């Protein structure tokens, strides 16, 4: 995610973001803060017919690097119980130290099916979510992350279930316990409120549903997906998603992945069916509705590029949007093949200073695409970098966020240096001068003091500084080897800080843990290799 406000040089921007089938009515210099948001990985409904389409899970383009994506895998917990264990409640969270109630225990999701019966801007509408899952323990009950405010019904395998609300936890007790290893389907019907948002005091600001003049876009990062649909919401948990979105005539829908079908209905409304194609984390899910123009082009190796742009913003944003193939080629030279099957920019008709790395469809506010070219390219490259680091390579727990935002900021600045912006050395020296204060206020890059410090400046330029120090330590050639190995080995998988340290050490042929540990966790900023004057 990437957020910025030139008027507030001390602030940092780091994020630069349904009903079931049954009953469906119709089928971005330091002085410039930014924020970047990025993706969700979910799993929905079981038996879903998508116009005869075959949903492929974990398959990636560029056959040299097939993805070992693991839909719905819990990254931080092992399956509980044993085959003969008595049924017991699934945990209300997976135990992330910063956000312990994110995600849920006792099951994994294999697919989400999100059904939205959209009516009009800022108007509530019927929705449902169908979740196909399997139990990792014998379950007497289980939780869903859900903050929607109008719940109608919940069934498990078509049988009504008992429910209670406990804050943002929807506790579901099925009519019969679910055996360990058993597959089950949950269907939740509710009324969706496209005005529902929450606020954070960091780079993210407002998140959840983001209204636009004629529709909506989504900004679910970090834990706002639960305002949009019931989910197993943690960045390490992902599953493929099917979107079934019905809109009025003249209004379009766009979502992660491939448009499977656009089907006019007898009443004049239109059903849009999208398939995410690959597993996605809940915070990276995108579903936008509005009067969009779809602008298609081609990236490297024939990669389909499809932008979704409000009609009156097509010409005003064209100059910078058209640079996407160049950005893709530049990043592929450094990180290897683009990890998904398609890409595009969703132009947000919103004044929020936030962009989000929604998987394969980056959300970029219109203002980011209508000003200075250097600033615009920084934002675009930042969100695109996230497709490799943060989206394809997902973080294991929230304290690993530096791996996502640090990489996006590093490559954003590296690109900008070669395309009219400040040198990365000057940017990193400025960050170095402030790093002790950031550590004091917000925690070290890999050790946020609190959940509220997650999307602070140390997670952006402060984390890019760690990568810059690593490059100064091992040299550019070895650093490039580390980076390419990182996004290749963990493509479509979950990884954390210790995974990165181990891989960097292996690629460099030396133990880098003594070097990286104080950079990642220390109270004071270590000396910068090769820069004794800093």
């Amino acid at each position: 995610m990437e957020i910025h406000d030139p008027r507030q040089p001390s602030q940092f921007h780091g994020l630069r973001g349904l009903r079931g089938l049954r009953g469906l009515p119709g089928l971005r210099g330091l002085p410039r803060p930014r924020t970047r948001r990025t993706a969700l990985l979910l799993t929905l409904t079981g038996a879903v017919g998508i116009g005869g389409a075959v949903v492929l899970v974990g398959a990636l383009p560029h056959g040299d690097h097939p993805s070992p994506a693991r839909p719905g895998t819990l990254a931080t917990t092992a399956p509980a119980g044993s085959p003969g264990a008595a049924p017991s409640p699934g945990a209300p969270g997976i135990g992330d130290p910063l956000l312990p109630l994110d995600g849920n225990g006792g099951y994994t999701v294999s697919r989400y099916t999100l059904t939205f019966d959209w009516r009009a801007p800022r108007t509530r509408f019927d929705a449902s979510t169908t979740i196909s899952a399997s139990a990792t323990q014998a379950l007497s009950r289980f939780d869903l992350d859900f903050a929607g405010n109008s719940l109608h019904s919940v069934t498990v395998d078509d049988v009504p279930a008992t429910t209670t609300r406990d804050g943002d936890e929807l506790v579901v007790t099925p009519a019969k316990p679910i055996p360990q290893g058993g597959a089950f389907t949950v269907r939740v019907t509710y009324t969706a409120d496209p005005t529902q948002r929450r606020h954070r005091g960091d780079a993210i600001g407002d998140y959840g549903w983001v209204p636009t003049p004629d529709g909506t876009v989504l900004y679910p990062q970090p834990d706002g997906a639960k305002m949009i649909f019931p989910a197993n919401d943690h960045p390490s948990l992902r599953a493929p998603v099917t979107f079934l979105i019905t809109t009025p005539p003249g209004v379009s829908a766009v979502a992660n992945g491939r448009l499977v079908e656009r089907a006019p209905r007898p009443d004049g409304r239109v059903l849009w069916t999208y398939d995410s194609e690959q597993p996605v984390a809940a915070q990276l899910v995108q579903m936008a509705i509005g009067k969009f123009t779809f602008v298609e082009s081609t990236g490297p190796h024939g990669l389909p590029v499809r932008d979704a742009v409000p009609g009156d913003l097509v010409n005003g944003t064209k100059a910078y949007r058209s640079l996407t193939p160049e950005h893709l080629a530049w990043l592929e030279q450094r990180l290897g093949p683009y990890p998904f099957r398609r890409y595009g920019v969703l132009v947000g008709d919103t004044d929020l200073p936030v962009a989000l790395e929604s998987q394969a469809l980056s959300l970029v506010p219109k203002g980011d695409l209508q000003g200075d070219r250097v600033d615009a390219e920084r934002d675009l490259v930042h969100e695109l970098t996230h497709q490799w680091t943060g989206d394809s390579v997902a973080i294991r727990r929230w304290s690993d966020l530096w791996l996502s935002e640090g990489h996006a900021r590093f490559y954003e600045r590296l690109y900008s240096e070669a395309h009219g912006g400040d040198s990365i050395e000057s940017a990193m020296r400025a960050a170095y001068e402030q790093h002790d204060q950031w550590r004091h206020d917000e925690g070290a890059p890999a050790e946020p003091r609190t959940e509220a410090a997650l999307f602070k400046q140390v997670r952006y330029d402060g984390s890019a500084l760690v990568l810059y120090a690593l490059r100064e330590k091992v040299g550019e050639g070895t650093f490039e080897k580390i980076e390419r190995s990182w996004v290749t080995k963990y493509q479509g998988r979950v990884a954390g800080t210790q995974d990165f340290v181990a891989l960097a050490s292996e690629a460099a042929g030396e133990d880098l843990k003594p070097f990286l540990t104080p950079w990642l966790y220390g109270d004071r900023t270590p000396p910068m290799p090769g820069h004794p004057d800093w």
Side-chain angles (χ1 to χ4, degrees):
M1 168 217 324
E2 181 95 351
I3 298 178
H4 38 264
D5 183 349
R7 300 167 300 178
Q8 300 179 13
S10 66
Q11 298 303 311
F12 178 77
H13 311 293
L15 319 184
R16 289 279 268 193
L18 312 166
R19 77 210 227 160
L21 294 175
R22 197 166 297 134
L24 181 66
L27 271 162
R28 199 220 253 187
L30 259 180
R32 198 159 84 50
R34 345 170 155 236
T35 2
R36 192 203 63 69
R37 269 321 47 215
T38 317
L40 17 152
L41 307 167
L42 340 188
T43 311
L44 286 195
T45 338
V48 180
I50 318 178
V54 176
V55 177
L56 301 178
V57 177
L60 297 173
H62 310 296
D64 292 339
H65 303 294
S67 169
R70 300 168 185 174
T73 298
L74 286 172
T76 58
T77 59
S82 60
S88 61
I94 65 171
D96 189 298
L98 290 173
L99 287 159
L101 291 180
D102 276 15
N104 301 285
Y107 65 92
T108 61
V109 176
S110 60
R111 177 167 292 275
Y112 294 97
T113 298
L114 309 183
T115 305
F116 291 149
D117 187 16
W118 177 266
R119 293 291 164 172
R122 300 177 181 272
T123 301
R124 296 183 179 189
F125 59 92
D126 289 341
S128 71
T129 293
T130 302
I131 303 172
S132 296
S134 60
T136 58
Q137 68 178 70
L139 283 171
S140 60
R141 69 171 188 252
F142 57 90
D143 285 25
L144 297 171
D145 298 311
F146 185 56
N149 53 11
S150 299
L151 177 68
H152 297 321
S153 67
V154 179
T155 63
V156 176
D157 293 334
D158 296 325
V159 179
T162 301
T163 62
T164 59
R165 305 293 294 270
D166 184 5
D168 290 341
E169 297 294 313
L170 173 58
V171 185
V172 180
T173 302
K176 295 170 55 178
I178 301 168
Q180 181 175 358
F184 62 100
T185 300
V186 185
R187 184 170 182 264
V188 182
T189 65
Y190 57 101
T191 297
D193 182 356
T195 67
Q196 189 180 11
R197 284 193 283 177
R198 292 183 177 177
H199 182 79
R200 293 175 56 91
D202 54 18
I204 292 179
D206 293 332
Y207 65 108
W209 293 93
V210 180
T212 62
D214 53 20
T216 189
V217 295
L218 302 183
Y219 200 96
Q221 192 174 39
D223 61 347
K226 60 194 175 189
M227 288 183 272
I228 299 155
F229 61 98
N232 201 7
D233 187 6
H234 187 270
S236 68
L237 306 177
R238 36 191 177 182
V241 184
T242 298
F243 301 85
L244 303 171
I245 309 162
T246 306
T247 65
V251 177
S252 301
V254 63
N256 310 82
R258 179 173 69 93
L259 175 61
V260 175
E261 184 180 32
R262 176 187 179 278
R265 299 182 60 81
D267 60 0
R269 292 169 61 77
V270 180
L271 173 63
W272 305 74
T273 302
Y274 283 87
D275 169 27
S276 70
E277 300 182 294
Q278 292 152 269
V280 57
Q283 64 159 350
L284 301 176
V285 165
Q286 185 57 260
M287 186 281 301
I289 293 170
K291 295 181 180 180
F292 294 118
T293 295
F294 295 100
V295 182
E296 299 187 3
S297 60
T298 302
H301 321 295
L303 180 77
V305 176
R306 188 190 201 209
D307 297 340
V309 193
D312 58 349
L313 295 174
V314 173
N315 292 333
T317 62
K318 179 180 178 180
Y320 301 151
R321 286 189 295 100
S322 65
L323 298 172
T324 292
E326 178 183 333
H327 298 158
L328 281 160
W330 187 87
L331 282 166
E332 285 198 340
Q333 290 174 0
R334 288 151 183 82
L335 297 174
Y338 175 73
F340 299 111
R341 294 181 171 183
R342 63 198 72 244
Y343 186 64
V345 171
L346 167 61
V347 179
D349 192 358
T350 167
D351 292 327
L352 290 180
V354 176
L356 175 65
E357 64 277 19
S358 308
Q359 188 164 301
L361 182 68
S362 293
L363 169 63
V364 182
K366 60 183 179 181
D368 292 9
L369 300 170
Q370 295 177 318
D372 177 74
R373 174 169 174 163
V374 169
D375 290 347
E377 290 202 81
R378 284 185 56 188
D379 294 342
L380 289 164
V381 171
H382 183 110
E383 302 311 329
L384 181 53
T385 303
H386 270 300
Q387 304 301 316
W388 280 265
T389 62
D391 291 14
S392 176
V393 182
I395 59 174
R396 188 175 301 281
R397 60 182 188 174
W398 277 114
S399 58
D400 299 318
L401 183 65
W402 77 275
L403 283 163
S404 178
E405 297 300 345
H407 273 97
R409 180 50 55 89
F410 179 85
Y411 285 101
E412 159 204 331
R413 291 199 173 278
L414 195 63
Y415 180 92
S416 186
E417 175 183 58
H419 294 81
D422 294 338
S423 71
I424 190 169
E425 180 177 340
S426 66
M428 292 298 95
R429 180 164 188 170
Y432 188 84
E433 291 170 353
Q434 300 180 63
H435 217 267
D436 278 351
Q437 188 63 53
W438 293 343
R439 287 172 183 262
H440 176 270
D441 295 343
E442 302 155 7
E447 197 166 39
R449 292 196 183 283
T450 64
E451 171 268 333
L454 265 177
F455 292 95
K456 295 289 189 176
Q457 194 158 356
V458 69
R459 239 61 66 194
Y460 295 87
D461 282 282
S463 298
L465 187 66
V466 176
L467 296 172
Y468 181 81
L470 177 59
R471 191 179 73 159
E472 296 299 285
K473 166 71 172 177
V474 302
E476 290 190 18
T478 299
F479 179 77
E480 291 175 0
K481 179 181 178 182
I482 291 170
E483 292 292 278
R484 187 176 285 259
S485 298
W486 174 247
V487 298
T488 299
K489 178 175 181 177
Y490 290 105
Q491 183 179 23
R493 299 170 60 191
V494 172
T497 300
Q498 297 313 309
D499 297 310
F500 182 82
V501 173
L503 180 143
S505 297
E506 180 180 358
E510 62 173 305
D511 184 5
L512 290 170
K513 186 173 182 178
F515 173 78
L516 285 169
T517 297
W519 275 100
L520 292 167
Y521 299 103
D523 293 332
R524 300 295 299 272
T525 308
M528 177 62 70
H531 297 276
D533 54 322
W534 284 20

